[in-house]
Amino acid sequence: MKKHLLLSCLLISLLGILVPGQINASAPAKADPRKPEPVVIYQVPVDGKVTKTVTNMTLIHRASMSPSGRFVYGERIGYGKTDRTIPYLYDMQTKKMTQLSGYGKWSPKQDALYVRENGGIVKLSLPDGKKTVLVPAAAQYPVLDFSVSPDEQYMVFTRMDMLSSNSKVSGHLILQHLPTLKMKKNDQYEWPSGTEEERYYWVPNSKKLFYKTQTAYKELDLPTGLKYDHNMTTFPSYSNDMKYRYMRTNTEEYMLDLQTGKKVNLKDSVFTESYLDKIVWSPAGHQMAVEQHARTSNSQDSYMYMQSCKEVTKCSYPFGSPDKGMPGYYDLSDNQRIIGWAKDGKSYYVADLASIHYSDFSPEKLGPSNNVIELRS
């Protein structure tokens, strides 16, 4: 489920793994985007009382929680041409914030961060900080993006052949077996343009990988090595117990029960613009935390809700219900995101991050020479 960051003062849509906070507010007061305000993190039980933690993190626009809930990976988007996006690691226990050497993604099972460093990939084990090189750096063959399988047996990544004269085959999809570090090239394709956050999606049983090219969504079946093209507009979304697959078309929104083949209708007959914008599935079973789009606003933004769902049709609103008037928060201005589940599956985390609304990056606030938002690939 992805968001797009806007360039040049016209649009901005966020990259995906992130967070919420002061929900139930109407239009938020516009503050100086460089004013250091702490990131607030909420732990939301499926049943029980929401707890709030005020951190020492400031000016973080994207975030994700480690499996244990101790560490937060975050990124501060650059406000101008020379103000680059910077990745950070925050320790919830020591309250220490450390700048990292590259963009990272959490291990699915342990407090280890996979980091794209100097065109290669390293694994940073925590809390000791031990670094292991998985994919050596190569200036003419840099890694553009990567993803680790849910069982952590494989990592997929794409390297760009900088010397290739044919862009349609310059992206090389490589699968690495993590226990042995052996690698195999599985495809050559054109790297997709744009600023999509996710270019890969693993099915929860780790047997299939979906990946995006410039022209299609493709599927790699790991047991057979076969590849398929799909006529899709977004990646699929499966519950971790493989019971449900979320589906949305122009006319329908439903969960497909993969055991019975039945559709569980999710289309709201009252709030017709409403749909599930982002689903974060519990690590076990099919509980889910949801960022729900309610409707667009007149400020190039969207009204949103946060949902906790014990079953796909049994949801509650921990930060305010749509039945009580205005939606809970603004998508871009408030920038509230689900950043991950606790390891036991009994609660999840939501963070209230710095605004990513285009107006906070405007030349009126930042000066005429600083009006380009740097996007990372």
Side-chain angles (χ1 to χ4, degrees), residues 20-25 42 304-306 319-320 327-329 334 336 350:
Q22 309 163 359
I23 311 186
N24 251 359
Y42 298 86
M304 305 288 289
Y305 301 113
M306 206 68 64
F319 300 102
Y329 63 99
D334 292 334
Q336 298 162 355
V350 164

Side-chain angles (χ1 to χ4, degrees), residues 295-301 303 330:
R295 61 184 176 86
T296 55
S297 76
N298 59 3
S299 61
Q300 295 187 10
D301 212 336
Y303 294 116
Y330 278 114

Side-chain angles (χ1 to χ4, degrees), residues 202-361:
W202 287 94
V203 172
N205 61 15
S206 300
K207 293 181 179 180
K208 293 181 183 294
L209 168 76
F210 290 86
Y211 57 103
K212 186 178 182 184
T213 73
Q214 179 64 23
T215 57
Y217 283 86
K218 301 185 75 171
E219 173 192 337
L220 172 63
D221 183 77
L222 268 67
T224 65
L226 297 175
K227 295 186 290 292
Y228 307 92
D229 284 14
H230 290 280
N231 183 23
M232 302 188 298
T233 57
T234 187
F235 284 121
S237 180
Y238 291 85
S239 62
N240 279 311
D241 61 0
M242 296 294 291
K243 178 173 175 58
Y244 292 106
R245 176 178 174 176
Y246 173 70
M247 309 285 285
R248 188 171 84 233
T249 68
N250 291 332
T251 58
E252 293 183 290
E253 183 182 25
Y254 60 92
M255 287 288 179
L256 179 64
D257 188 318
L258 298 174
Q259 277 73 50
T260 66
K262 293 182 178 180
K263 296 181 181 180
V264 180
N265 180 50
L266 300 175
K267 198 72 175 175
D268 196 311
S269 59
V270 178
F271 302 97
T272 55
E273 285 188 55
S274 175
Y275 60 86
L276 306 190
D277 189 56
K278 176 183 177 182
I279 300 174
V280 183
W281 295 97
S282 169
H286 46 266
Q287 295 182 133
M288 59 184 185
V290 175
E291 295 172 15
Q292 180 187 24
H293 175 274
R295 61 184 176 86
T296 55
S297 76
N298 59 3
S299 61
Q300 295 187 10
D301 212 336
S302 299
Y303 294 116
M304 305 288 289
Y305 301 113
M306 206 68 64
Q307 285 190 45
S308 302
C309 301
K310 296 177 69 173
E311 295 285 342
V312 296
T313 57
K314 296 180 180 179
C315 300
S316 61
Y317 295 85
F319 300 102
S321 168
D323 297 331
K324 298 179 181 178
M326 291 293 289
Y329 63 99
Y330 278 114
D331 183 27
L332 304 179
S333 301
D334 292 334
N335 194 17
Q336 298 162 355
R337 307 292 163 185
I338 300 164
I339 58 173
W341 277 83
K343 205 166 188 175
D344 61 8
K346 294 181 180 179
S347 61
Y348 61 94
Y349 300 95
V350 164
D352 187 2
L353 305 173
S355 170
I356 56 166
H357 193 267
Y358 80 97
S359 61
D360 286 323
F361 298 82

Side-chain angles (χ1 to χ4, degrees), residues 97-109:
M97 192 166 179
T98 306
Q99 184 173 333
L100 296 174
S101 58
Y103 302 118
K105 297 181 183 181
W106 286 112
S107 156
K109 296 179 176 294

